[in-house]
Each structure stands twice: as structure tokens, then as C-alpha cells.
Amino acid sequence: MDNLKIPRHVAVIMDGNGRWAKSKGLPRKMGHVQGGKNVEDMLYVCDDLGIKYFTVYAFSTENWKRSEDEVAALMTLLRSYLSSGFKKAAKNNVRIRIIGDRTRLAPDIQKLIEDLEEDSKNNTGLQFQIAINYGSRDEIVRMMKRTAEDIKSGNINPEDINEDYISNNLDTKDIPDPDLLIRTSGEQRISNFLLWQIAYSEFYFADCHWPDFNKDELIKAIEEYNKRDRRFGDAK
Ligand code: IPE
Ligand code: IPE
Ligand code: MG
């Protein structure tokens, strides 16, 4: 593990909480409880390894389609992490930002998010992004609507729109694109996560379920990343 090149930004599609629970004869909800704990542990692992940006997909715009029970359980867990575990991280120099459309979340969750972002905004340690009610297509639709309004009101001209403009108007503004994208649980799809931002990310698919993804698994992913010959369309 010495001399490993550490990716600056690691993004994770945390999949498999339900299957993890099922494999243990537990209700799906318990998988989410365990998955939530793991996010907190992995925050400190990332920090220790020298990863600067860590982004996790916690709840997608499509996840509202799950049963009322499961959505409620996920929201309850989120509330508890935003008001305890992540708050603790914010006190440990972690900067927390939420990406996604927060307007559809309960007002008390929106308030927790605002406070957490405000309280941690000057933290210089790990930069931690949580995607909640996030969908890449939805992010692009929201960006397009704001842009159309700005053009209509004369604030910007169509000539001002370029790749930088788009990057700077997505929820991930000021956050560099992921170097390494990990999905757990064996599934090999993107499920509407960071479509614009992963244009040149390296992908890694882990077989284990998210609650079992730990430091050793992350190191395996980074070792694999180290074997990749990163290219950006150039000839080397
Ligand atoms: C990921 O685990 C967590 C969320 C999507 C909220 P899943 O709940 O998708 O677990 P599986 O994929 O059904 O096993
Ligand atoms: C993606 O996982 C979303 C999150 C991890 C939050 P899903 O389990 O919802 O995705 P699909 O349905 O397998 O594509
Ligand atoms: Mg899943």
C-alpha cells in the first residue's frame, strides 16, 4: 500500500443494503442502518488515506418509488445522521455539502442540511458530499431552467454557455470531478449518478454489499485504480 497514488476524489454508489440485510434474515431497514454506520466509518478511513473529496449516493430521485415504509425509514436515518454522526464529523474539520434537490425534503431535514453546510463551510479537511434526492438528469433539468431564466432576463447570453459554465452551475460546483467511481454489490450501472461529472472517471465495481465495504475493500479499489492508465483522449 506504500507509494499508492491516492485519487483526489472518490465517489461511491452505495448499493446492496437490502441484499446485505436479506442475507442475514433481517428487514431491509436494518441494512440501511448498517449502511449508514458504514458511511461514518468510511469518512474517517478516507481522511486517513489522504482522499480529499468523498461523495456518496444516499438517496436517488428514483428512490421515492420504494415503499412508504422504506422511504420513511431512510428519512429517519438521514435525520439522525445529519444531526449526530455528520455533525460530529463537521467538528473534526470535515466540510459537508449536500447535492440534489433538497426542496422536496421535509423542512426539518432542509434546516439540518443548511446548518451543517453553514457550520462546516470553512473546514479544510475531508470534503464530504452526500447526494440526497439526487438524480443527474434532474440536476441537469434544474440547471437548464435557471439558465433559461437568466437568458430571458438578459443576465447571460447564449455565447456564455460552455463546459465551464455547465460545471459551475451543477450542484457539484467547486468540486473537482471524481477520479474513481465505486459501486458496491456487483451491479454495473450508473443509476443516474453524476453523469456529466464522471466523463473521465475510472470505474470500479466491488462484489460486496455496502455495509461490508471497509478500509481493505477501499484499498483494493485504489490498488486497481493505480493499475489504470488514465487518459483524457490524448495519445500518450
Ligand atoms: C442502497 O441499497 C441504498 C439505497 C438505495 C438507499 P439498496 O437499498 O439499493 O439495496 P439493494 O440494492 O436492494 O440490495
Ligand atoms: C442507486 O441504487 C441509488 C443509491 C445508491 C442511493 P439503487 O439500488 O436505487 O439503483 P438501481 O435501482 O439498482 O439502479
Ligand atoms: Mg440497490
Side-chain angles (χ1 to χ4, degrees):
M1 105 136 254
D2 289 342
N3 300 323
L4 270 189
K5 186 174 162 14
I6 301 295
R8 175 163 65 153
H9 183 174
V10 174
V12 183
I13 301 174
M14 310 184 287
D15 199 16
N17 291 349
R19 277 164 281 176
W20 179 89
K22 194 172 176 204
S23 76
K24 301 204 147 21
L26 298 167
R28 287 182 65 83
K29 191 186 142 177
M30 290 313 293
H32 296 313
V33 169
Q34 204 56 36
K37 280 196 194 130
N38 200 35
V39 175
E40 213 188 325
D41 293 348
M42 290 306 290
L43 267 182
Y44 298 104
V45 168
C46 286
D47 204 18
D48 281 351
L49 290 174
I51 290 164
K52 189 68 194 166
Y53 295 85
F54 181 51
T55 302
V56 298
Y57 202 4
F59 190 90
S60 76
T61 45
E62 288 72 32
N63 287 150
W64 297 106
K65 292 187 240 170
R66 297 188 176 196
S67 75
E68 221 176 289
D69 253 21
E70 185 168 349
V71 170
L74 283 164
M75 290 300 149
T76 301
L77 267 170
L78 228 105
R79 240 182 220 104
S80 113
Y81 275 98
L82 293 169
S83 55
S84 66
F86 299 152
K87 220 169 170 168
K88 196 172 88 203
K91 290 204 169 68
N92 281 300
N93 205 24
V94 174
R95 177 172 183 183
I96 301 178
R97 278 174 276 193
I98 307 307
I99 60 171
D101 180 6
R102 60 187 70 178
T103 63
R104 210 181 146 184
L105 303 173
D108 69 307
I109 296 185
Q110 292 188 44
K111 175 83 173 85
L112 286 169
I113 290 174
E114 269 170 39
D115 292 349
L116 210 49
E117 287 185 332
E118 179 59 27
D119 294 347
S120 70
K121 71 170 189 233
N122 296 319
N123 288 353
T124 54
L126 182 72
Q127 307 287 296
F128 176 44
Q129 292 66 239
I130 316 167
I132 306 175
N133 190 27
Y134 178 87
S136 201
R137 289 179 172 182
D138 176 68
E139 178 188 37
I140 290 168
V141 169
R142 287 185 283 111
M143 183 266 297
M144 286 295 293
K145 281 190 176 151
R146 286 194 304 273
T147 301
E149 289 297 337
D150 278 342
I151 291 178
K152 199 164 77 178
S153 60
N155 288 338
I156 60 165
N157 297 309
E159 307 80 70
D160 299 331
I161 297 176
N162 53 29
E163 293 190 7
D164 282 341
Y165 170 89
I166 294 178
S167 292
N168 289 330
N169 282 279
L170 293 172
D171 298 348
T172 46
K173 169 181 174 7
D174 296 332
I175 295 160
D177 290 341
D179 299 292
L180 174 62
L181 174 77
I182 298 172
R183 183 170 185 147
T184 57
S185 223
E187 238 57 68
Q188 302 195 359
R189 58 177 170 270
I190 300 304
S191 301
N192 204 10
F193 193 43
L194 304 176
L195 299 180
W196 171 272
Q197 297 87 337
I198 58 171
Y200 272 99
S201 305
E202 295 293 330
F203 292 2
Y204 179 85
F205 301 100
D207 286 331
C208 71
H209 302 311
W210 171 251
D212 290 329
F213 191 87
N214 55 18
K215 182 172 184 173
D216 287 348
E217 292 289 339
L218 180 58
I219 290 174
K220 258 200 270 175
I222 296 175
E223 280 170 348
E224 182 62 34
Y225 170 81
N226 273 254
K227 293 183 200 150
R228 305 278 173 87
D229 176 19
R230 281 200 89 181
R231 297 224 184 162
F232 299 89
D234 49 335
K236 267 197 262 170

